[in-house]
Amino acid sequence: MPWSRRERIRTEAIYAAARYSRSRRVDIDPDGGWVVIYDFELPPYYNYETVDILIELPPDYPATPPQWFYTDPGLQRRDGQDMPHYFQHRLRERRGWAACCLHIRSWAPAADPLQGHSLLSFCRLIYDAFVRWGR
């Protein structure tokens, strides 16, 4: 039996928080528009050890990948240089999130979220972007 969109998002968010969140806390929009991963661990190049990450989900997720995620305003590289794809001035209305974007070129979700692209793999892309942006 196929999963409902809501069940899939919830399951994927729990997997992602288990892997990328220090506290393993997650918050899920009841309408499926976003997911928050709290205490997302950062590589050592930043002024924070963890940040909260809000992932905006497109209406036809998982067929279409997320592009935008939001994080704590004030996030900076330790060396003071700007981060690409981090837009401090483009704040989301809820809590004043700073916007970040990823340009996903290939996205192939599968019936099993552990086998194809999912929030878990999107969080990996976020972490890898923080590594690239911080060096």
Side-chain angles (χ1 to χ4, degrees), residues 21-33:
S21 166
R22 188 173 286 175
S23 66
R24 296 188 173 174
R25 288 181 44 227
V26 65
D27 192 13
I28 304 162
D29 174 28
D31 296 325

Side-chain angles (χ1 to χ4, degrees), residues 9 11-14 17 26 30 39 47 50 61 69 78 83 93:
I9 290 169
T11 300
E12 289 182 14
I14 290 168
V26 65
D39 307 310
N47 60 328
T50 66
Y61 180 86
F69 70 95
R78 284 194 177 165
M83 293 183 305
E93 69 281 354

Side-chain angles (χ1 to χ4, degrees), residues 1 7 9 18 31-32 34-35 42 45 48 50 58 69 78 83 86-87 89 95 97-100 107 120 125 128 130:
M1 179 174 146
E7 290 170 327
I9 290 169
D31 296 325
W34 51 262
V35 168
L42 293 174
Y45 318 117
Y48 302 137
T50 66
F69 70 95
R78 284 194 177 165
M83 293 183 305
Y86 174 80
F87 306 101
H89 64 280
R95 203 185 89 171
W97 298 87
C100 300
W107 183 259
L120 184 61
L125 292 172
D128 290 348
F130 281 131

Side-chain angles (χ1 to χ4, degrees), residues 3 7 9 41 44 48 51 66 74 76-77 91 103 107 110 116 121-122 125 130 134:
W3 300 16
E7 290 170 327
I9 290 169
E41 295 197 60
Y48 302 137
V51 291
Q76 297 177 347
R77 288 172 40 146
L91 298 177
H103 303 284
W107 183 259
S121 57
F122 189 71
L125 292 172
F130 281 131

